[in-house]
Amino acid sequence: MIYKDKIAATIAQVVDLEVEAVQRILETPKDLKMGDLAFPCFQLAKTMRKAPPMIASEVAERLTPALQAAGVPVGSVQVVGAYINLFLDQQAVAKDVIATILTEKAGYGSADIGGGAHVTIDLSSPNIAKPFSMGHLRSTVIGNAQANLLAKIGYQPVRINHLGDWGTQFGKLIVAYKKWGSEAAVQQNPIPELLKLYVQFHDEAKADPSLEDQGREWFKKLEDGDQEAQQLWQWFRDESLKEFNKTYALMGIKFDSLHGEAFYNDKMDRVVNELEAKGLLVEDEGAMVVKLDEYDMPPCLIKKSDGATLYATRDLAAALYRQDTYQFAKALYVVGNEQRLHFRQVFKVLEKMGYGWAAEMHHIPFGMMLKDGKKMSTRKGKVILLDEVLQAAIADVKKVIAEKNPNLANKDQVAEQVGVGAIIFHDLKNYRMNDINFSWEEMLTFEGETGPYVQYTHARANSILRKAGYVESSDVVLPAGALEGAEAWAVVTLLLNFPNVIKRAGEEFDPSALGKWIIDLAQAFNKFYANVRVLAEEEAVKNARLQLVAATATVLHEGLRLLGLEAPAEM
């Protein structure tokens, strides 16, 4: 809330507390009848040695003139037991917030917290030659939304697709391709064909374990620069990226870097040498590790007994490269919850190496995308392809449009925007740590707390403005009765809180905070539209209400954009 900081600072002066302490206990009542903000006085009882209700009465008496002097538009200050309930001046606040939105437009809610500093964001990161499955959706959309939110509060996000383009699986795939593959089949349908070969390899290896040895041999050839192995690997990578890029384009997601695991092959010696030079590398059962006993963690493996490097070595090399390249203020890794220990180890190793910036490296974990309550497995071929889900959602929306609005302009474009939006929003409305069970029915429902519902609300607001012949103006005049009532105030208070929601979602790495807030705004707006006659007879009243509609449409559009969704003007 724009006024919350001012109110907290004023209360802090009156009760002689730190501003941060006041901000922690200042509440937003669930029932608007209890005020817009409430300050409980229980904590003051120890220092003031009085009963909390008595303290509340004394503080409230001094607070009213102090708030007026600070320029806070407070309508009244009421005491209920130990609580001081603050009611804002609804007309003054409505006028202020609507004028601010209509002036700043898409800039509303922006902040300069980041000061233009870089934040690297490791997101998506599918494995080459394997399908882009629903399992990859979460990292992709959470990471993209987080990047948008950080840009909104003044950081410069660097989206990195750390592709899984190295490892023994490529040796296995080379063996499978040479034994059972066809160049024409791969070119015609790259990912499904490569997946079929990968699954076939594991099926055949159950009966013939020597295939696993052949796979390791071919990966060793690849590591050693064998020409045939490298050509096949590069071809698998190129064909996979062509397919991935179609899906990314459909979702409107772009990357600043496609450096995958293979990129760091020649950068790991630096890590090993530096760890040795700093006396951090020790031998443990033939392997080289960094001990992390003081953090109650197992050792971080840097080199296996056969000399092969591991994921940790690669991630350490990547961190050093990214700090050298971008001088990041923060580094985020949007990777599943099962990798929690791995990232804790990597960050602690960097800290032991003496890099202070390791304190600003954050693992952004998330729950799994499940099917029938179980984890999806590429090896067993039990995957749901993301592109198939997106296409099915688009087809579903096309049917709805054909039934409800067959004369809609740009039908195909709108179907794409709404179908893709349904899939993205279904993920982002959930807190990222929650597991999500894949469900066609829930994901493709276009009612209730869904992306299409919010998009439709935005389109409806635009439709009202078009039909009314609304002329844009940031000069807000509120005649008596124009925006009075609980329905209008519910919309105004949500709009007022938008900058605070953006700040919290960005700083706490929680796009779902914005997802939930957008649903609340859409619901509040629809309630307002259902109960208040927007197109009133009196011109000044009608214009004021249309300005609230315009402000709502502007903020819905920006909120959807930040989550990675389009906002069609017509549906």
Side-chain angles (χ1 to χ4, degrees):
M1 189 181 285
I2 292 171
Y3 305 108
K4 194 173 181 179
D5 290 345
K6 268 190 183 179
I7 291 169
T10 308
I11 293 172
Q13 280 183 327
V14 171
V15 300
D16 195 25
L17 275 178
E18 293 291 326
V19 176
E20 290 77 16
V22 174
Q23 284 173 328
R24 277 196 298 274
I25 57 176
L26 199 56
E27 299 174 7
T28 302
K30 287 179 182 173
D31 186 350
L32 286 174
K33 291 174 187 171
M34 301 305 290
D36 299 298
L37 286 169
F39 180 69
C41 294
F42 302 104
Q43 273 189 271
L44 302 173
K46 279 186 184 176
T47 53
M48 296 179 78
R49 301 191 177 189
K50 292 178 184 175
M54 192 181 290
I55 296 168
S57 296
E58 289 178 11
V59 171
E61 205 172 306
R62 285 181 284 150
L63 193 56
T64 304
L67 287 167
Q68 288 169 350
V72 178
V74 171
S76 67
V77 177
Q78 298 176 11
V79 176
V80 179
Y83 282 82
I84 300 171
N85 293 342
L86 303 159
F87 293 82
L88 295 171
D89 180 332
Q90 295 187 3
Q91 290 294 291
V93 172
K95 184 175 179 179
D96 186 14
V97 74
I98 294 169
T100 302
I101 294 168
L102 296 181
T103 301
E104 296 181 6
K105 295 187 171 59
Y108 180 62
S110 298
D112 192 26
I113 295 164
H118 285 104
V119 177
T120 57
I121 305 178
D122 201 316
L123 71 147
S124 197
S125 310
N127 290 317
I128 292 300
K130 290 184 186 177
F132 200 141
S133 75
M134 282 299 293
H136 294 105
L137 175 72
R138 305 217 65 196
S139 172
T140 306
V141 298
I142 293 168
N144 187 58
Q146 187 59 55
N148 291 338
L149 286 163
L150 287 169
K152 183 77 173 173
I153 59 172
Y155 289 96
Q156 198 173 328
V158 180
R159 292 171 173 83
I160 299 171
N161 197 350
H162 187 78
L163 297 164
D165 60 1
W166 203 249
T168 52
Q169 70 265 33
F170 289 100
K172 295 175 183 180
L173 194 57
I174 289 168
V175 171
Y177 175 73
K178 286 175 72 66
K179 281 184 177 294
W180 312 297
S182 147
E183 183 177 349
V186 172
Q187 282 180 332
Q188 187 178 351
N189 215 357
I191 303 280
E193 188 61 28
L194 292 171
L195 173 63
K196 190 178 89 175
L197 291 169
Y198 186 72
V199 172
Q200 186 175 352
F201 178 91
H202 285 281
D203 288 342
E204 300 276 350
K206 287 173 190 170
D208 181 4
S210 72
L211 284 171
E212 295 281 358
D213 294 328
Q214 292 175 47
R216 281 189 284 274
E217 284 168 21
W218 269 101
F219 180 57
K220 183 75 169 67
K221 287 184 180 182
L222 180 58
E223 285 190 303
D224 294 341
D226 177 87
Q227 190 175 358
E228 185 185 4
Q230 285 207 315
Q231 280 175 346
L232 284 170
W233 171 82
Q234 188 66 52
W235 181 48
F236 296 156
R237 190 182 194 275
D238 292 345
E239 291 299 324
S240 298
L241 270 175
K242 279 182 204 169
E243 292 300 301
F244 292 164
N245 286 337
K246 290 177 191 173
T247 304
Y248 289 132
L250 194 56
M251 297 172 75
I253 294 173
K254 294 178 180 175
F255 295 95
D256 302 293
S257 165
L258 292 173
H259 291 326
E261 292 174 25
F263 178 76
Y264 297 100
N265 282 343
D266 62 354
K267 296 171 180 60
M268 288 185 285
D269 285 347
R270 172 189 171 184
V271 173
V272 176
N273 295 338
E274 194 173 326
L275 287 170
E276 281 179 334
K278 290 179 175 174
L280 295 171
L281 207 58
V282 296
E283 191 177 331
D284 186 8
E285 296 179 11
M288 301 306 289
V289 306
V290 175
K291 294 275 191 180
L292 297 170
D293 297 351
E294 66 269 45
Y295 305 111
D296 292 323
M297 278 189 258
C300 182
L301 271 74
I302 303 299
K303 260 189 173 184
K304 287 199 278 191
S305 53
D306 63 3
T309 50
L310 292 110
Y311 279 121
T313 330
R314 211 170 288 272
D315 278 341
L316 290 166
L320 294 171
Y321 172 82
R322 290 171 188 177
Q323 180 57 223
D324 289 346
T325 307
Y326 303 110
Q327 293 81 53
F328 59 74
K330 297 177 193 290
L332 310 184
Y333 295 81
V334 187
V335 181
N337 189 39
E338 63 273 17
Q339 295 297 320
R340 188 185 291 269
L341 174 62
H342 166 77
F343 284 109
R344 283 179 63 215
Q345 289 178 309
V346 168
F347 301 161
K348 285 299 179 188
V349 170
L350 287 163
E351 192 179 297
K352 288 185 81 162
M353 290 170 82
Y355 294 113
W357 43 261
E360 288 300 335
M361 300 181 78
H362 305 276
H363 174 211
I364 313 299
F366 52 85
M368 291 185 289
M369 181 71 75
L370 307 173
K371 184 173 186 288
D372 302 324
K374 295 176 183 174
K375 187 178 178 182
M376 298 179 188
S377 168
T378 310
R379 182 175 294 186
K380 294 174 184 173
K382 292 179 181 175
V383 291
I384 298 165
L385 302 187
L386 176 56
D387 193 60
E388 287 180 4
V389 174
L390 293 171
Q391 295 300 339
I394 293 165
D396 236 51
V397 179
K398 282 182 179 175
K399 287 179 200 167
V400 175
I401 291 172
E403 287 171 25
K404 303 279 179 75
N405 193 3
N407 299 319
L408 176 69
N410 306 318
K411 279 189 278 195
D412 289 349
Q413 183 185 12
V414 172
E416 204 170 276
Q417 292 173 336
V418 177
V420 172
I423 306 304
I424 295 174
F425 196 85
H426 177 264
D427 191 301
L428 294 179
K429 74 177 183 183
N430 292 288
Y431 179 54
R432 58 179 164 78
M433 288 306 296
N434 298 340
D435 290 343
I436 297 179
N437 199 49
F438 176 81
S439 157
W440 279 105
E441 294 75 22
E442 190 181 337
M443 205 171 270
L444 302 181
T445 295
F446 302 114
E447 294 172 7
E449 297 182 354
T450 65
Y453 170 74
V454 179
Q455 288 171 316
Y456 180 71
T457 303
H458 171 265
R460 168 184 268 180
N462 277 279
S463 173
I464 295 165
L465 297 172
R466 278 194 306 274
K467 286 174 184 172
Y470 171 71
V471 179
E472 203 173 282
S473 170
S474 56
D475 183 19
V476 178
V477 177
L478 292 187
L483 292 180
E484 287 172 7
E487 291 86 5
W489 184 237
V491 176
V492 169
T493 51
L494 282 161
L495 293 174
L496 177 64
N497 204 29
F498 182 61
N500 192 49
V501 172
I502 295 300
K503 181 173 180 285
R504 184 161 66 84
E507 291 188 324
E508 295 179 9
F509 314 130
D510 181 17
S512 74
L514 176 58
K516 293 183 182 85
W517 178 90
I518 282 180
I519 291 167
D520 289 344
L521 179 60
Q523 289 174 337
F525 175 78
N526 285 320
K527 194 173 178 184
F528 164 74
Y529 179 66
N531 288 281
V532 176
R533 208 154 149 259
V534 173
L535 304 180
E537 284 91 357
E538 194 184 330
E539 196 64 26
V541 172
K542 180 178 84 170
N543 198 55
R545 290 174 181 171
L546 285 172
Q547 286 183 312
L548 180 60
V549 173
T552 304
T554 297
V555 177
L556 280 174
H557 190 287
E558 180 61 3
L560 286 167
R561 182 193 73 80
L562 290 167
L563 291 177
L565 280 78
E566 296 286 342
E570 286 185 74
M571 276 173 69

